[in-house]
Each structure stands twice: as structure tokens, then as C-alpha cells.
Amino acid sequence: MPPGGRSRMRAMRALIIRHGAERTPEGRSLRLLQQWLSPAQREQFVQKGYFEVVGSDSGQRYRIHAGASVNVCEIDERGRLREGLCFSPAGALPIGDVMLAQKIALETGERDVRAVARRFTPSGFHFRSTRPLG
């Protein structure tokens, strides 16, 4: 296991437990999300409460914050929030499943996502509750 890997795994486990224990739909969805994240994305998510993805069509970077709605923002080259995009899969899904669907949608069909997403102006208020999840 790489240096720090054990502590990151403990942090991810704590996140899963905090959001509904491992055997619940919430916990299982966060575990599945974790399996789909790259090591850098996992690190970001544990440390900062969000992870970044690159859009498939434009190469634009997006930040997906922990949440199921009003949680995706386009970011500029300095990492500042620009435009917010509100989109999610249909149905009442656990938070990890929503975030995974958002990740896959942006990485494989960015143009389609942007066509249906509702726009919002992000502010510190939207993400004030976002904190390190480790």
C-alpha cells in the first residue's frame, strides 16, 4: 500500500460510516463512487469534500461537491468557481450514485449535460457546509 494509503482508506471508511453505515444504500453508493474515482479524485474528495472531472467535449474542468443537487460547478484555470450546473439522474438515488452519474455524464457526454442542466451562480453559501471528509 502506498504511503498514506492506509490513512486515506480509514478516512473513506469514516465517510461511508458517517453517511449511513456500510450496509445501507447510502454507504454502498459511496463505496461504489470511491471505486470509480481515480486516486487523485479520491484524495480530493476525502480532503476537500469535492473532486474534479474534465468534460469530454471541451476539456473544461468541473468540480463535483458532495451533494445530490446544485453541487456541480465549472471552474477556471485558477480553480475558481464559474458557472454552476444543476443536473441529476431521475429518481430518488443515494448521494454517491448521483455523484457517480454526474461524473460519468460529464466525462462521456458533456455537451448533452450542458444542454439540459439548469444554470446557477455559485457562491460560498452553496458550499459552506462542504468540509474535509476525512
Side-chain angles (χ1 to χ4, degrees):
M1 185 168 285
R6 199 165 270 145
S7 64
R8 283 193 285 281
M9 293 301 288
R10 280 194 297 267
M12 186 57 74
R13 182 169 165 72
L15 168 67
I16 291 168
I17 289 169
R18 187 177 324 154
H19 282 276
E22 293 178 315
R23 289 180 172 69
T24 65
E26 289 292 336
R28 287 190 302 270
S29 75
L30 287 166
R31 193 169 344 117
L32 179 63
L33 172 64
Q34 180 251 339
Q35 292 169 354
W36 275 74
L37 296 177
S38 71
Q41 289 171 327
R42 265 194 307 276
E43 178 75 20
Q44 274 186 322
F45 190 47
V46 168
Q47 297 298 320
K48 299 178 181 180
Y50 62 76
F51 58 91
E52 295 175 3
V53 300
V54 176
S56 61
D57 299 313
S58 70
Q60 175 63 48
R61 287 185 355 186
Y62 298 90
R63 187 171 289 165
I64 300 176
H65 292 264
S69 66
V70 194
N71 66 315
V72 179
C73 289
E74 181 179 313
I75 56 175
D76 67 16
E77 60 281 344
R78 291 183 171 169
R80 293 179 299 206
L81 303 179
R82 287 178 41 183
E83 181 176 49
L85 300 175
C86 185
F87 67 97
S88 62
L93 298 173
I95 189 172
D97 290 348
V98 171
M99 294 172 68
L100 177 56
Q102 291 168 328
K103 169 187 167 47
I104 293 169
L106 286 167
E107 291 176 337
T108 63
E110 177 190 16
R111 191 174 307 123
D112 294 333
V113 167
R114 293 189 65 85
V116 299
R118 291 190 176 198
R119 306 307 201 271
F120 67 93
T121 302
S123 68
F125 173 77
H126 286 109
F127 308 111
R128 207 170 275 157
S129 63
T130 300
R131 61 189 181 284
L133 299 173

